[in-house]
Amino acid sequence: MSGTYVVRTFGCQMNEHDSERIAGLLEADGLEAGDDVETADVIVLNTCCIRENADNRLYGTLGHLKSLKDRRPGVEIVVAGCLAQKDQDAIAERAPHVDVVMGTHNVHRAVDLLHERRASGRPVVEILSETVAEDHELFPSALPVVRQVGYAGWVTIQMGCDNSCAFCIVPAVRGPEISRPFGDIVAEVQRAAADGVTEVTLLGQNVNSYGRDLTLRVRGDGGGVTESAFLVGPAAAEERVKVRPLFAELLRAVGSVPGIRRVRYTSPHPKDLRPETIAAMADEASVCEHLHLPLQSGSDSILSAMHRGYTATRYLERLAAARAGIDDLAVTTDIIVGFPGETDADAEATLEVAAEARFDGAFTFVYSPRPGTEAAELVERYVPRDVAAARMERLRAVVERSSRLGNLARVGRSEEVLVEGPSRKDPSRLTGRTRQNRLVHFEPAGAVRPGSYVAVEVTDATTTHLRGHMTELLVAPTHRVRIPVAAE
Ligand code: SAM
Ligand code: SF4
């Protein structure tokens, strides 16, 4: 193919990462990255369906692209990702100007489907109901990649989710949990490090249960250790000795890859946060002092209705253990307000737990009914919008108080900052992140490239960020600006 492409991503890091892989496949097929939807030859919308506003945004964007397609019939529009998986044929019906609709299990087919579209002259819809576990290439991280930034990379360690949180559509659109072989993950991190990547983020819906399916498959029905399909492949020798590839072991293995200076991961599930994981975070210098531990609610009855598998007390105990084990730990979370049946007392309990947890930040969401999930059926228990909005405001105030205090506690300290680039509001300053994932805007000392590690003296703090000035360049970047990584 020739021409330019643009990929627009809606949603989470998992989707951002799938988009990098789609971009990698398009470039491997001859297309070049463009930055303007108006002139692009191929437009990919990689969709999310976790909340209803994501649906609205997609259909709004498709409405806008209809007039573009009327003006330039040659432009090709691809809708990929979770919403495509959920809505399937409905997208083609609502937006017949879309050329290709593809689901979450066939990211690797993006280019083939575009070729099929051209050959047949008709729109193509391909939604696979599940991922083929034996095929290592199907993990998005095993495909060619165009990273958004050259110095940091996402690595998928697990796809899908085996939990059944009552509010969540993820298991329906991403399928059951499948862990990527241990050795393949480490090999990918080694390749990334050789390209100059110094920060990796391990991605999965419940990273702490990483390896559970591999262990089950190795043990076989009788409980004895047997060889199985996942042992075949580049990492076979390593896998044979690693019968229980736990997440903690993975953190240690990835963290000790030469050149990797920072390891992050998201998301762990509180019910599965094990002491081994905390120990690995404490011991392995490159694993960052940041834990994103989704709380969802502080009310035990709501947690139970959500099927989260922990109580508020249990959550706080796990958090206390993490803080006791890991020096200088920053903690962030996800909280849903207005889950069906949430009373004033439930909302109050969430405020209390949030205050006690002293979060450094939180993604707070108003509950959004997702058709097909258990909670969406509880229509008569839906919380009125204005009530949910008022609860959200109070929750935000509690989280802002602790995140401001957490940031203020950094004033006067020297922080290691990974530089991302010029600050959007004031281009004379640079922006970056500390190991705790705090945003920092700072005055540079001389020319500093994105991907550098610098020391910043923190002089001031707000709820959302730290401010300061650079005192020293710690490590210069070694990555190239664009990195196509070929799959092995
Ligand atoms: N696997 C992660 C976990 O269990 O923590 C969550 C992944 S989900 C993509 C990210 C967040 O979206 C969740 O933690 C939850 O707070 C929020 N979320 C999911 N479904 C939602 C819904 N129906 N309404 C509002 N927020 C929702
Ligand atoms: Fe959704 Fe729960 Fe799985 Fe997270 S753990 S992806 S919230 S079902």
Side-chain angles (χ1 to χ4, degrees):
M1 290 196 281
S2 61
T4 62
Y5 72 89
V6 169
V7 183
R8 288 275 176 270
T9 311
F10 304 79
C12 65
Q13 284 157 319
M14 206 69 91
N15 272 16
E16 297 271 2
H17 187 38
D18 284 352
S19 292
E20 292 185 338
R21 304 294 152 168
I22 292 171
L25 288 164
L26 295 176
E27 292 203 8
D29 202 56
L31 286 171
E32 283 174 31
D35 52 14
D36 188 358
V37 167
E38 294 296 319
T39 56
D41 299 290
V42 174
I43 300 167
V44 181
L45 305 177
N46 193 11
T47 62
C48 169
C49 63
I50 205 89
R51 283 169 292 277
E52 195 180 4
N53 60 1
D55 296 30
N56 299 340
R57 277 176 68 200
L58 172 72
Y59 287 108
T61 305
L62 284 177
H64 170 74
L65 290 181
K66 168 85 176 67
S67 57
L68 181 71
K69 185 102 175 177
D70 288 343
R71 278 180 280 126
R72 291 175 46 224
V75 65
E76 289 170 305
I77 302 171
V78 179
V79 178
C82 298
L83 195 62
Q85 188 78 27
K86 176 171 86 68
D87 285 3
Q88 308 210 350
D89 294 332
I91 292 181
E93 280 159 26
R94 280 180 72 170
H97 53 291
V98 170
D99 295 279
V100 173
V101 179
M102 54 183 269
T104 52
H105 302 292
N106 45 354
V107 167
H108 61 293
R109 295 262 299 145
V111 167
D112 296 342
L113 296 177
L114 272 169
H115 286 299
E116 274 176 36
R117 159 73 178 107
R118 285 174 196 178
S120 70
R122 268 186 263 127
V124 174
V125 178
E126 185 179 279
I127 313 282
L128 303 181
S129 59
E130 61 181 36
T131 301
V132 185
E134 278 68 29
D135 190 347
H136 299 170
E137 295 299 302
L138 295 188
F139 271 92
S141 293
L143 300 172
V145 62
V146 175
R147 292 198 185 92
Q148 283 176 1
V149 293
Y151 52 84
W154 287 308
V155 178
T156 305
I157 65 166
Q158 173 194 59
M159 297 208 293
C161 181
D162 278 350
N163 292 311
S164 46
C165 300
F167 52 82
C168 185
I169 189 102
V170 167
V173 293
R174 292 268 176 185
E177 223 166 270
I178 299 173
S179 298
R180 190 173 176 203
F182 195 99
D184 289 4
I185 298 170
V186 176
E188 165 154 355
V189 174
Q190 286 166 338
R191 284 199 301 275
D195 284 335
V197 167
T198 58
E199 179 182 277
V200 287
T201 303
L202 307 180
L203 289 180
Q205 293 298 350
N206 180 5
V207 290
N208 276 305
S209 68
Y210 167 76
R212 195 166 47 188
D213 52 330
L214 300 181
T215 307
L216 291 175
R217 286 165 69 194
V218 166
R219 287 183 180 275
D221 287 339
V225 176
T226 59
E227 291 214 357
S228 72
F230 95 95
L231 293 174
V232 180
E238 208 173 325
E239 294 288 2
R240 280 192 189 95
V241 280
K242 217 171 274 297
V243 177
R244 281 180 63 90
L246 298 172
F247 181 62
E249 286 181 45
L250 188 65
L251 278 182
R252 290 178 193 273
V254 166
S256 57
V257 169
I260 296 299
R261 209 175 155 85
R262 288 184 177 184
V263 178
R264 300 187 183 283
Y265 64 91
T266 195
S267 289
H269 193 300
K271 76 177 165 56
D272 297 318
L273 180 61
R274 301 168 65 132
E276 293 94 325
T277 301
I278 294 171
M281 288 180 78
D283 296 346
E284 191 54 58
S286 57
V287 181
C288 290
E289 298 78 26
H290 173 216
L291 180 65
H292 182 74
L293 196 63
L295 168 66
Q296 310 302 1
S297 171
S299 151
D300 287 347
S301 61
I302 294 295
L303 285 171
S304 164
M306 286 175 163
H307 308 315
R308 286 293 288 178
Y310 53 86
T311 60
T313 305
R314 192 88 186 104
Y315 179 94
L316 288 170
E317 281 169 4
R318 295 244 155 131
L319 191 54
R323 283 199 167 117
I326 304 161
D327 272 354
D328 209 19
L329 182 71
V331 181
T332 54
T333 198
D334 294 346
I335 300 176
I336 297 177
V337 167
F339 182 82
E342 186 188 71
T343 62
D344 284 344
D346 294 321
E348 202 60 41
T350 300
L351 296 185
E352 280 166 22
V353 175
E356 196 171 336
R358 293 178 283 115
F359 292 121
D360 293 284
F363 295 108
T364 49
F365 309 103
V366 170
Y367 169 72
S368 170
R370 303 286 57 215
T373 60
E374 187 183 321
E377 304 289 310
L378 307 171
V379 181
E380 72 290 351
R381 311 200 72 198
Y382 281 8
V383 174
R385 270 170 191 265
D386 56 334
V387 174
R391 289 178 186 168
M392 175 64 96
E393 212 167 299
R394 294 181 66 203
L395 176 61
R396 285 207 176 129
V398 170
V399 174
E400 279 175 13
R401 198 178 313 135
S402 54
S403 52
R404 186 159 180 277
L405 287 174
N407 280 347
L408 280 172
R410 314 308 290 182
V411 173
R413 299 175 65 130
S414 179
E415 298 272 358
E416 179 198 272
V417 174
L418 171 56
V419 178
E420 292 175 0
S423 153
R424 251 180 288 161
K425 281 199 183 143
D426 176 1
S428 72
R429 288 171 170 260
L430 292 178
T431 288
R433 298 250 166 204
T434 69
R435 287 177 59 89
Q436 292 185 320
N437 212 31
R438 293 179 199 276
L439 186 65
V440 189
H441 300 304
F442 64 95
E443 285 163 30
V448 180
R449 283 185 294 145
S452 306
Y453 288 84
V454 300
V456 171
E457 170 111 18
V458 180
T459 51
D460 194 6
T462 70
T463 305
T464 55
H465 63 269
L466 310 178
R467 283 192 285 254
H469 55 262
M470 173 178 155
T471 53
E472 194 187 348
L473 174 67
L474 300 173
V475 183
T478 58
H479 65 279
R480 292 187 297 276
V481 176
R482 287 308 280 292
I483 313 165
V485 178
E488 279 185 347

